[in-house]
Amino acid sequence: MSDSTLSIGVLLPEVLGTYGDTGNAVVLRERARRRGIDATIVTVSLADPIPSGLDIYTLGGGEDVAQSLAASKLRDDDGLVRAVEAEHPLLAICASLQVLGHSYRDARNVRVPGLGILDVTTEPQGRRSIGELITEPLIEGLTQRLTGFENHGGATILGPNARPLGAVISGSGNGVLPGDPAPATPVDGVVQGSIIATYMHGPVLARNPELADYLIAQAMGISPTDLKELNIPSIDALRRERLDAGLTSPTTPAKEDPHA
Ligand code: GLN
């Protein structure tokens, strides 16, 4: 953290705000403030240069056309790449996960080059995965099940430098390419360097406070266990409800992609 204020970036919300993922930054700010840590949200629009010195970066999901505008902006402005090289934490959701990879192909079969800072490639599944997504975290420092809502047509394949964020208990996660057999252990998300990416909307940090604190601690260069515990009963109730919904109700069958 550069000074005493935690700066939380929301990048390109006009194109990556479709699924309410800007709420992730609000959760980070609120969890910091409740511990007496000064925190502020910095909104970076398409027309703005991307600062490379923010403490945490958040990127949300978006529809295919909006997503390609975001991809073009992020390729033209190296601010985010410099921030990641300096190991500033970055949370990327769904469309952003795809954009940070080598390339993705949208539902119209147009191949769009990405930033290549995640060792992943995305192709259309030919259907849409929509519904509750629950995973068991696979990275050190996270112990609680992750819950979110997925809504995507892309399937993301991880290369050797990328690790998954969680093992899928319910839902699709990173998905499967048409014709490929379903993996024995389906996974969701990507972890590589200071980047955590997932297909979970929700916003994911509202449903998973442990993940929010993981990012705050990473930005402050401390262990999450050094952060004062916060007891927020409504968050516990929300987690119980959503985990229950994902485990008990049948997963919404993947739909034909209406964009295809
Ligand atoms: N347009 C992308 C897809 O359908 C991402 C969607 C999203 O961000 N929810 O795969």
Side-chain angles (χ1 to χ4, degrees), residues 11 19 25 43 66 69 72 80 86 94 106 122 128 133 167 180 183 203 207 209:
L11 303 195
Y19 296 90
T43 301
L69 291 173
S72 144
L80 186 64
C94 198
D106 66 19
T122 300
R128 233 176 148 73
L133 172 59
D180 278 5
R207 292 185 181 203

Side-chain angles (χ1 to χ4, degrees), residues 19 61-64 67 93-96 98 128 151-154 199 201 257:
Y19 296 90
E63 285 311 314
D64 286 4
Q67 179 178 349
I93 310 297
C94 198
S96 304
Q98 300 174 355
R128 233 176 148 73
N151 181 356
H152 57 102
Y199 271 105
H201 303 287
D257 195 332

Side-chain angles (χ1 to χ4, degrees), residues 83-130:
V84 168
E85 280 168 359
E87 296 183 359
H88 296 233
L90 161 61
L91 175 71
I93 310 297
C94 198
S96 304
L97 177 162
Q98 300 174 355
V99 166
L100 298 185
H102 301 297
S103 69
Y104 68 92
R105 201 183 297 271
D106 66 19
R108 291 179 190 83
N109 219 23
V110 176
R111 190 183 155 280
V112 182
L115 267 68
I117 54 176
L118 287 180
D119 186 15
V120 304
T121 307
T122 300
E123 296 283 337
Q125 299 186 82
R127 61 200 178 89
R128 233 176 148 73
S129 298
I130 304 173

Side-chain angles (χ1 to χ4, degrees), residues 16-91:
L16 297 176
T18 320
Y19 296 90
D21 299 314
T22 52
N24 287 321
V26 177
V27 172
L28 290 167
R29 183 183 62 189
E30 192 58 26
R31 292 189 73 80
R33 284 184 176 171
R34 287 189 185 206
R35 296 176 165 113
I37 303 161
D38 194 21
T40 187
I41 293 177
V42 178
T43 301
V44 182
S45 298
L46 274 173
D48 301 328
I50 299 175
S52 57
L54 301 179
D55 294 312
I56 308 181
Y57 290 78
T58 66
L59 281 166
E63 285 311 314
D64 286 4
V65 174
Q67 179 178 349
S68 63
L69 291 173
S72 144
K73 164 72 178 175
L74 292 170
R75 283 194 311 268
D76 291 349
D77 182 323
D78 68 352
L80 186 64
V81 173
R82 284 190 285 121
V84 168
E85 280 168 359
E87 296 183 359
H88 296 233
L90 161 61
L91 175 71

